[in-house]
Amino acid sequence: AADFANNIQRPCNNMDGNALPVSTFEPGGRVPLGTSQYEKRGIAINVPRVDMDLCTQCNKCSLICPHAAVRPFLLSPKELAAAPEDFRTGSRAAIGGGVLDNYQY
């Protein structure tokens, strides 16, 4: 992971990626595990918090979050009971009805 970070990630983050030969990259665009520890660009000054009372459960926040910090889940009552306290207090009944009636978002 360190080689990838130094030889590929760093030049790409410095906008020098066009100078890298194609042979530098893995076929299929694979990125080795553990490279996020080297990715310290300061993308955002503040990381927003989700206000679950205003949430419409559209999942757009999970698509646009540059930190990949928003992870939507549907939980059954059994799964919710086993979840951490902060997760339980932040969850809401799933919107949509039908098969979603017994789930928490």
Side-chain angles (χ1 to χ4, degrees):
D3 288 339
F4 178 87
N6 291 324
N7 299 325
I8 297 176
Q9 237 175 355
R10 184 171 287 133
C12 289
N13 287 343
N14 291 334
M15 305 300 241
D16 295 326
N18 286 338
L20 296 174
V22 174
S23 60
T24 305
F25 299 92
E26 285 285 321
R30 292 189 188 102
V31 175
L33 296 175
T35 57
S36 63
Q37 64 185 315
Y38 303 103
E39 189 72 55
K40 305 298 180 199
R41 295 181 290 153
I43 295 172
I45 295 169
N46 299 313
V47 178
R49 293 183 65 134
V50 176
D51 184 347
M52 290 303 292
D53 292 328
L54 300 175
C55 177
T56 61
Q57 299 179 12
C58 68
N59 294 329
K60 288 182 183 176
C61 56
S62 67
L63 294 173
I64 62 170
C65 179
H67 309 281
V70 180
R71 305 280 175 101
F73 290 98
L74 286 175
L75 293 139
S76 68
K78 182 179 177 182
E79 292 168 324
L80 188 64
E85 179 62 31
D86 287 345
F87 194 95
R88 287 195 302 266
T89 58
S91 69
R92 302 293 186 267
I95 297 172
V99 297
L100 300 176
D101 281 344
N102 293 325
Y103 288 94
Q104 290 288 109
Y105 182 84

